[in-house]
Amino acid sequence: MAKLFRILGFVVLALVVLLVAFGGFVVMRSNARMNQEYAFTPSTLSIPTDSASVATGDHLVHAVFACVGCHGEDLGGKMVIDSPVMARIAAPNLTRGKGGLAPGYTMADYECAIRHGVRRDHRPIILMPSEAYAYLSDEELQQVAAYLASVPPVDRSLPPVKLGPIGSMLIAFGQFLPASQVEHESVGRLAKAPTGTGPDRGEHLAKVCVCTSCHGPQLAGGKAAGGDPSWPPAANLTPHEEGLGNVTFQQFEGILRTGVKRNGQQLDAEMMPWTSYARMSDDEMHALWAYLQTLPPTPTPK
């Protein structure tokens, strides 16, 4: 019996050592990823001040890029994740008020944050979906910057990022930092986004609306990679019978405009920001639909 207890003691000790070693690896690896500097040369774009650019930027921020879903309707920032085991992460205050962007925020700073997912020092921003925003055209980026520079100041200070054990582990293994998914030297090759109601514009919208982050690279839906296991599977957006194969444009538009699925269930606006997409123009809605109809019918991954 004493021998058995000694063996069990060695096993427990070995497990403790392994856990401590693994914890140390996670902390070091996550810190290294958080402090990694991404090298690239920002463009020489400037922030426009004309009313048309500001108005279009307003539309893009609220209706297309769904910035308000994380940063709040007033863009003053809000808590996105507040879990001791996961992380405490707040989307920052994007206004020029107290706790917001510094008065000297430049076009290069906006480009770093939006397209590249990094701060001024080129270190990564947590959860900034720059893997999608890297596709913004120069004109769209300038219009967004024009609007953000014009919004009324909001005085709101938010707490710094605090990682829990699961959050640290996710970062250590490549999650939460979209900057690592951006091909930094190749962004900004599109001067203007497509217009009209054709699939080329719809494809651009599908990219910059962060659709693939939840619906998958083929837009076939299923469980979101790296998402909370408790989240329901994302919808299949291909013309497959499990997706949009039996859906009309009017039904598709109705879901995005009202957030009510065909079975009468209400979409969770925190997970699927339909309250933003509901503000898309008719042309944007038609273009997105036109693109989705060109996708190969793909069954939902199991």
Side-chain angles (χ1 to χ4, degrees):
M1 183 65 70
K3 184 177 180 180
L4 176 61
F5 279 122
R6 282 200 300 273
I7 293 173
L8 288 175
F10 284 130
V11 170
V12 170
L13 180 60
L15 289 174
V16 170
V17 170
L18 286 173
L19 285 173
V20 171
F22 179 72
F25 164 79
V26 165
V27 170
M28 288 189 295
R29 184 64 173 164
S30 61
N31 285 340
R33 286 186 177 275
M34 289 281 290
N35 288 293
Q36 180 178 349
E37 293 187 35
Y38 291 87
F40 58 87
T41 303
S43 66
T44 57
L45 299 174
S46 59
I47 302 177
T49 56
D50 61 286
S51 59
S53 293
V54 173
T56 303
D58 183 347
H59 174 74
L60 292 173
V61 165
H62 287 88
V64 180
F65 305 145
C67 306
V68 296
C70 290
H71 296 277
E73 282 291 335
D74 61 1
L75 298 176
K78 66 176 187 178
M79 295 300 300
V80 178
I81 299 176
D82 193 2
S83 166
V85 296
M86 179 67 77
R88 190 181 193 192
I89 302 173
N93 182 344
L94 299 183
T95 77
R96 304 301 175 98
K98 183 179 179 181
L101 302 180
Y105 219 71
T106 66
M107 186 68 228
D109 295 328
Y110 282 119
E111 183 178 15
C112 282
I114 297 171
R115 271 181 172 166
H116 297 274
V118 300
R119 303 190 298 266
R120 284 172 161 176
D121 60 6
H122 285 210
R123 289 182 170 86
I125 301 171
I126 291 181
L127 292 183
M128 179 66 180
S130 293
E131 79 283 3
Y133 296 159
Y135 292 100
L136 264 66
S137 69
D138 288 345
E139 184 178 54
E140 288 173 316
L141 181 65
Q142 289 179 291
Q143 290 163 340
V144 168
Y147 173 66
L148 293 179
S150 73
V151 296
V154 175
D155 293 335
R156 184 177 303 142
S157 296
L158 295 152
V161 171
K162 184 177 181 180
L163 297 175
I166 295 179
S168 294
M169 187 165 60
L170 287 171
I171 287 179
F173 289 96
Q175 301 294 324
F176 272 17
L177 298 178
S180 63
Q181 304 172 37
V182 176
E183 296 181 9
H184 295 278
E185 289 297 344
S186 66
V187 304
R189 294 181 179 175
L190 184 65
K192 291 190 176 185
T195 58
T197 59
D200 56 339
R201 185 183 189 184
E203 181 178 11
H204 178 75
L205 287 169
K207 289 177 178 178
V208 298
C209 287
V210 205
C211 299
T212 57
S213 293
C214 290
H215 296 274
Q218 296 178 301
L219 297 180
K223 286 289 187 181
D228 190 319
S230 67
W231 290 352
N236 187 329
L237 300 183
T238 76
H240 192 270
E241 61 181 7
E242 296 178 359
L244 301 180
N246 300 311
V247 178
T248 66
F249 167 73
Q250 289 73 22
Q251 291 171 325
F252 171 77
E253 181 183 27
I255 293 169
L256 287 186
R257 299 284 190 205
T258 67
V260 179
K261 297 192 290 186
R262 289 192 299 164
N263 62 6
Q265 291 183 342
Q266 182 72 50
L267 288 171
D268 185 341
E270 292 293 324
M271 297 177 58
M272 168 59 184
W274 67 267
T275 53
S276 287
Y277 301 147
R279 298 178 247 193
M280 279 188 175
S281 69
D282 290 342
D283 281 359
E284 288 166 337
M285 200 73 75
H286 277 283
L288 185 57
W289 175 258
Y291 168 64
L292 295 177
Q293 294 305 294
T294 70
L295 297 174
T298 307
T300 305
K302 303 304 180 185

